[in-house]
Amino acid sequence: MSIEKQVDPSRRGLLVATCAAGGVVGLGTAGTLVSTFQPSERAKAAGAPVEVDISTLQPGEMRTVEWRGKPVWILKRTPEMLASLPKLDGQVADPGSERNPDEFTPDYCINKHRSRKPEILVAVGICTHLGCSPSTKFVPGPQPSLPDDWAGGFLCPCHGSTFDIAGRVFKNKPAPDNLVVPRHMYLSDTKILIGKDEKGEA
């Protein structure tokens, strides 16, 4: 003979409510835990940092990668390129990269090379005038649209702004500022992370 245990209807409602509340708390906690492992909506919209291997980059060679829909140049400068920079201080508009450093140059790149390592330039390849992408003009000397004493650098084909081998804009040009140096850091001697540094993501 089976005996069926009856549950008081008023207690049944309490039991259901307790289970439901526990489930909601459990789901809320799980959601919080999962969200801590996800990038923020702002970071996802902006674009994740990009890791670049520069182990095969040769002196005088430049590689372009995409970060946040923008071209980022990584140039391995030759000793001759580096030697040209101090000679141009009087010709460029912002030789010490002092204008709007938060926007254009991280503090660790405010130096004569505009870089963390003298031989490696990391810069966004977009002219600060109207957003065109400058062309590489690394060969020194006279050539079309450039001065006879050209030391090598970049020429914007849209309105003629010129930049030296450190991305510093020359005086009296349409571009008002130096090329942007994005936040970045070295993961090793041959790997660069663009878009993030020791302070976090850009």
Side-chain angles (χ1 to χ4, degrees):
M1 182 176 178
S2 67
I3 299 175
E4 193 171 349
K5 202 168 187 181
Q6 297 293 322
V7 177
D8 183 356
S10 64
R11 299 182 90 185
R12 183 183 293 129
L14 180 62
L15 180 64
V16 170
T18 303
C19 291
V24 169
V25 170
L27 285 173
T29 304
T32 302
L33 286 172
V34 169
S35 69
T36 61
F37 295 106
Q38 302 295 327
S40 68
E41 289 303 316
R42 181 176 171 225
K44 285 192 285 187
V50 176
E51 187 176 316
V52 186
D53 185 344
I54 60 168
S55 58
T56 59
L57 199 63
Q58 299 300 309
E61 184 182 358
M62 189 177 82
R63 183 170 301 156
T64 303
V65 298
E66 184 178 334
W67 171 66
R68 294 186 176 177
K70 302 173 185 177
V72 175
W73 298 335
I74 303 171
L75 169 64
K76 187 167 187 178
R77 294 177 284 205
T78 63
E80 292 78 18
M81 288 175 166
L82 291 172
S84 72
L85 293 176
K87 302 172 186 174
L88 299 173
D89 285 354
Q91 299 179 43
V92 293
D94 183 16
S97 299
E98 296 170 354
R99 293 183 189 168
N100 303 316
D102 291 340
E103 186 178 352
F104 294 102
T105 315
D107 56 359
Y108 44 78
C109 290
I110 298 179
N111 53 53
K112 61 183 178 180
H113 308 112
R114 293 192 82 222
S115 59
R116 298 193 83 144
K117 292 187 177 184
E119 70 276 14
I120 303 293
L121 171 69
V122 178
V124 176
I126 296 177
C127 180
T128 53
H129 179 216
L130 292 177
C132 296
S133 187
S135 304
T136 56
K137 298 290 182 180
F138 296 157
V139 178
Q143 47 202 295
S145 303
L146 293 169
D148 290 346
D149 62 350
W150 180 246
F154 308 93
L155 167 67
C156 183
C158 294
H159 302 97
S161 292
T162 49
F163 303 85
D164 71 2
I165 215 73
R168 301 181 301 177
V169 68
F170 282 87
K171 292 178 179 177
N172 305 315
K173 298 292 178 177
D177 293 290
N178 296 338
L179 296 179
V180 173
V181 173
R183 284 167 60 177
H184 63 282
M185 64 182 184
Y186 284 84
L187 301 176
S188 70
D189 287 342
T190 59
K191 286 190 178 177
I192 301 176
L193 189 63
I194 297 168
K196 184 176 182 179
D197 58 19
E198 294 82 357
K199 297 179 181 177
E201 290 192 29

